[in-house]
Amino acid sequence: MNIVTLLPFIVLIGAMFLMTRSAKNKQRQAQQMRNDMHPGTGVRTIGGMYATVKEVHDDTVLLEVAPGVHAIYAKNAVGAVLADAEYNRIVHGIDPDEDVDAADTPVVPDDASSLTEAADAGDGDSSADKADAADETDEKAGKTDAKKIDLGKDDAAAASTSEDEKRDGGTDAK
């Protein structure tokens, strides 16, 4: 046989070997990760649920999915064992990199009424006085009202359309 005819078979067998080798390597790493679980570790299941490990058995693991709510899962159902910082960031919203003091963060009110009440109480002006002051500042700035434009049909154009044009298929539309 010629080497050219054997080359596709050799490449195919080599590709199959590499694919099975990488799959076995991934399975071995997943098994090692599941064996490294211990109580208190945060995990993500293959279904996407985040939980805390309470007990580890041979083939099963007891997970706390909510405070006081426990469920038994197969070890193979654990998709990832998470580091404490990552688990707290995802589940509790705690970012360990964020070192902002409570005094540095601005306080945002729940509604805008607290912002406007303070301004109204400090001025003592009525709303009519504020409107007059706004009009004066507009006049000083040189702003004027735009002329109103009538967008209706012009009477002269309507009168020029004859009845004969309408009967012959003409329309009023321009």
Side-chain angles (χ1 to χ4, degrees):
M1 279 200 184
N2 192 355
I3 190 75
V4 176
T5 57
L6 290 177
L7 188 61
F9 293 113
I10 293 171
V11 170
L12 183 63
I13 291 171
M16 290 174 53
F17 173 74
L18 290 176
M19 288 172 37
T20 57
R21 184 174 173 224
S22 66
K24 285 182 183 179
N25 191 18
K26 286 182 183 179
Q27 286 178 349
R28 186 176 40 80
Q29 288 176 346
Q31 186 64 32
Q32 181 65 32
M33 171 200 60
R34 291 181 184 117
N35 288 336
D36 289 342
M37 283 189 297
H38 57 277
T41 305
V43 296
R44 181 182 66 236
T45 65
I46 58 174
M49 183 176 60
Y50 293 91
T52 305
V53 176
K54 288 297 179 183
E55 295 177 8
V56 179
H57 302 286
D58 293 336
D59 295 331
T60 61
V61 62
L62 180 69
L63 299 178
E64 184 177 24
V65 295
V69 179
H70 297 86
I72 298 174
Y73 280 83
K75 275 189 174 180
N76 291 341
V78 174
V81 177
L82 306 172
D84 289 338
E86 184 179 5
Y87 180 77
N88 287 330
R89 181 184 60 79
I90 294 170
V91 175
H92 303 295
I94 300 170
D95 192 5
D97 297 334
E98 194 174 286
D99 293 333
V100 178
D101 295 338
D104 293 341
T105 57
V107 177
V108 178
D110 291 339
D111 59 347
S113 63
S114 62
L115 298 174
T116 57
E117 289 172 359
D120 289 344
D123 291 344
D125 295 336
S126 67
S127 60
D129 292 340
K130 291 179 184 177
D132 291 341
D135 290 341
E136 290 175 12
T137 56
D138 286 345
E139 289 174 7
K140 289 179 184 176
K143 294 180 182 177
T144 59
D145 290 338
K147 293 183 180 179
K148 293 183 180 178
I149 301 172
D150 185 18
L151 298 176
K153 188 185 277 187
D154 190 15
D155 292 333
S160 67
T161 306
S162 68
E163 293 294 324
D164 293 333
E165 287 181 23
K166 289 183 184 179
R167 275 184 250 145
D168 291 337
T171 61
D172 291 314
K174 299 288 183 214

